[in-house]
Amino acid sequence: MSGDDMVFGEVRFREPARLKRPDRDARYACVACQTPGPDDLPVFLDPAPADAIERHALSDTSVELGGVLLGKECVDPASGRPFVWITRSLEAKHYANTQASFTYTHDSWEEITRERDRLHPDLDVVGWYHTHPNFGIFLSHHDLFIHQNFFSQPLQTAYVVDPIQGTRGFFQWADGRMVQVGGFHLCAERSERVALSRLADQMENLPGSSQGGSGLSPRLEAELIKMLSRPAPPVGGPGDRLALAVLLGFLGSLLFLLVATAGFWLSRVDGRLGEQGDALAALKLEVDESASGRKAAVDLLLEKVGGETPELFVERYEKLARARDDARKQLVAQQSVNEALGLRVKDLTSAAGSLGAELDAARKTLAEYEADAKAAPKLRERIAVLESEAAENLREIKDQRAILATKEGENAAATYNSLKVYTLTTYAAGLAALLMGLTAVFFYYRSLAPPPETSHAASRRAP
Ligand SMILES: [Zn+2]
């Protein structure tokens, strides 16, 4: 398109209106889209033109479409800085376009001017917009040409929308060049702030919107939705369930076999323990009988020996009694071992699940117990030996007594014989002394007075 087709209005610089910025006016609600920079020209866009441009851009994404932006160029009295407030947009009806360019035609420009004058006489043309279907946000050389020739006012902006990529951006004059601003503001009456927020989310490609004072930010909501909509992990199919059932069945069979084996073994151990218990009882009876019999025999032996008990015999008897007591103690120990084993078996029965180590322990204890049972006959042999020793001792005592009796007899006989010699000697000596006395007395009286009358006495005594 050549410059001849253009209709340039008279070049004049409009005086901006002094107006409070809407984001500092409590009557309005403003939401930032993208990130407006501190040095950018503040651009405020009403929902109506924003929505109209989006719809227009999406109406045909195979070609470039465009139109003009209407509103007010303002100066904020508080800061003295200018801003732009876009309140309307007009679509260009007659245009020459290809997929990669948009050009106002003479007709389209005339029609736009007419419409603006008819519908919005109070509004200024504050810029223009056009679409870049799927090739991003920038100003081509052709776009710059249009802007320089039709929108050269300092506050006039260019708005580019990519309806396929869902991106958009404003461009402003800065030092004679067109540069993109960091962001812009959506602006509406306070009562429309919920719809405004929703629109802002849509324009920033965020799913959902802040509804009814929800505490979540749109981005957080988007993250949550993404997380919640992740595909669930696959549930096990029929094949998996069959495999699981087979596995569980196998494990169950194994467990049953184990428990049955354990029960059989325990019953066998129990039976063997019962047999051993009976054998022990019989052994105890035998030992008791043997012990009492042995005691009676020893008592009899003592009786026979009587009061002349030699110390040697007593000592041997005490030894024998100690051996007997030891035998009884061993018997008691065996019984307690048997009882302990019985308790152990009960424990094992109750804990059939964890057999392993306890099984080995029971086997060991059983082996010890069997060894003890084998030792019992040896005990009996020992008692027999002790009894034979007692009998031998008794024989020795008898022999000793016999020997003692012989010596005593000899001594007594010797003493008797001695006494007999002494007695006879004494008697003989006494008799001799008496005869000598009598003879002495006879001769004494005969010498004194031997009258014949009295001689008869002497003659009588004379032999
Ligand atoms: Zn363009």
Side-chain angles (χ1 to χ4, degrees):
M1 166 173 19
S2 72
D4 296 333
D5 297 324
M6 303 294 183
V7 175
F8 296 97
E10 71 177 270
V11 178
R12 57 180 179 89
F13 290 96
R14 293 191 293 258
E15 194 65 31
R18 292 182 70 82
L19 195 68
K20 201 174 184 179
R21 271 176 61 153
D23 58 345
R24 290 168 186 166
D25 191 332
R27 294 173 297 171
Y28 299 99
C30 294
V31 177
C33 279
Q34 299 155 10
T35 313
D39 298 326
D40 288 348
L41 173 71
V43 177
F44 294 91
L45 180 60
D46 274 10
D51 202 45
I53 292 165
E54 293 297 318
R55 278 192 278 110
H56 187 205
L58 287 166
S59 65
D60 187 353
T61 56
S62 64
V63 292
E64 287 189 42
L65 301 172
V68 294
L69 304 169
L70 301 179
K72 283 291 177 186
E73 295 170 356
C74 311
V75 167
D76 180 38
S79 64
R81 288 188 59 191
F83 64 93
V84 176
W85 192 347
I86 301 159
T87 54
R88 292 286 165 189
S89 65
L90 290 174
E91 297 176 8
K93 302 289 188 202
H94 306 282
Y95 49 86
N97 64 32
T98 65
Q99 194 183 0
S101 70
F102 169 79
T103 299
Y104 290 100
T105 63
H106 182 84
D107 289 341
S108 72
W109 190 244
E110 275 199 337
E111 186 177 343
I112 284 171
T113 306
R114 269 202 310 277
E115 267 195 70
R116 198 274 315 267
D117 290 344
R118 184 171 61 87
L119 296 171
H120 310 291
D122 55 327
L123 296 179
D124 300 326
V125 175
V126 294
W128 65 294
Y129 73 88
H130 73 287
T131 64
H132 280 182
N134 208 23
F135 49 92
I137 309 305
F138 63 96
L139 290 180
S140 66
H141 290 295
H142 188 77
D143 297 333
L144 287 171
F145 175 82
I146 290 172
H147 199 80
Q148 282 163 354
N149 288 284
F150 293 91
F151 308 97
S152 58
Q153 292 281 328
L155 298 184
Q156 281 184 319
T157 61
Y159 184 41
V160 181
V161 174
D162 185 338
I164 292 176
Q165 294 179 8
T167 52
R168 48 195 68 71
F170 276 94
F171 294 82
Q172 69 167 122
W173 285 110
D175 299 329
R177 295 185 302 116
M178 288 297 284
V179 296
Q180 188 175 357
V181 299
F184 57 97
H185 305 268
L186 284 170
C187 179
E189 300 278 335
R190 269 188 78 81
S191 58
E192 294 171 34
R193 60 184 182 278
V194 173
L196 189 74
S197 177
R198 200 169 295 155
L199 178 65
D201 285 345
Q202 287 169 1
M203 290 179 73
E204 291 204 272
N205 300 316
L206 295 174
S209 61
S210 55
Q211 295 176 354
S214 162
L216 295 173
S217 73
R219 283 179 180 83
L220 187 57
E221 279 184 6
E223 285 296 319
L224 278 173
I225 288 163
K226 204 168 138 190
M227 268 164 47
L228 291 171
S229 57
R230 270 180 199 148
V235 179
D240 290 344
R241 284 200 293 273
L242 183 63
L244 187 65
V246 168
L247 180 65
L248 285 176
F250 173 71
L251 286 177
S253 304
L254 204 65
L255 188 65
F256 173 76
L257 203 64
L258 197 68
V259 167
T261 309
F264 176 68
W265 182 83
L266 279 174
S267 70
R268 279 194 61 193
V269 168
D270 202 26
R272 287 186 70 181
L273 277 176
E275 288 170 11
Q276 296 284 357
D278 292 345
L280 263 184
L283 184 64
K284 183 184 184 300
L285 195 66
E286 203 174 330
V287 169
D288 282 348
E289 282 174 358
S290 160
S292 60
R294 186 165 46 80
K295 189 176 181 296
V298 171
D299 287 348
L300 188 64
L301 287 176
L302 280 171
E303 244 175 56
K304 280 178 184 173
V305 169
E308 300 171 4
T309 311
E311 288 178 6
L312 188 63
F313 177 78
V314 171
E315 190 184 325
R316 287 197 177 187
Y317 174 75
E318 281 173 0
K319 222 164 127 188
L320 207 61
R322 278 200 298 276
R324 182 194 61 196
D325 291 340
D326 286 348
R328 277 185 176 151
K329 278 177 192 169
Q330 283 187 11
L331 193 67
V332 168
Q334 281 178 357
Q335 280 177 329
S336 64
V337 165
N338 190 20
E339 285 169 5
L341 207 57
L343 288 173
R344 188 84 173 142
V345 167
K346 278 180 184 171
D347 289 345
L348 282 170
T349 310
S350 66
S354 57
L355 285 173
E358 289 186 355
L359 230 136
D360 291 337
R363 275 203 187 105
K364 200 174 164 187
T365 314
L366 187 64
E368 285 174 7
Y369 170 75
E370 283 174 348
D372 288 346
K374 279 174 187 167
K378 286 179 185 172
L379 200 65
R380 270 182 289 181
E381 284 173 15
R382 197 174 162 194
I383 289 163
V385 169
L386 287 172
E387 280 179 344
S388 70
E389 278 177 6
E392 197 180 344
N393 183 40
L394 186 61
R395 275 196 302 279
E396 281 176 13
I397 289 163
K398 272 180 180 173
D399 293 342
Q400 282 173 358
R401 196 182 66 165
I403 292 162
L404 281 171
T406 309
K407 279 182 181 175
E408 218 170 52
E410 282 174 0
N411 289 341
T415 310
Y416 180 71
N417 290 338
S418 301
L419 277 174
K420 221 158 81 174
V421 172
Y422 286 136
T423 307
L424 287 173
T425 311
T426 306
Y427 285 168
L431 193 63
L434 186 64
L435 285 172
M436 282 169 74
L438 285 172
T439 308
V441 169
F442 174 70
F443 283 109
Y444 177 70
Y445 279 109
R446 194 170 170 180
S447 64
L448 282 177
E453 304 88 50
T454 58
S455 65
H456 68 276
S459 61
R460 269 201 315 257
R461 282 181 194 171

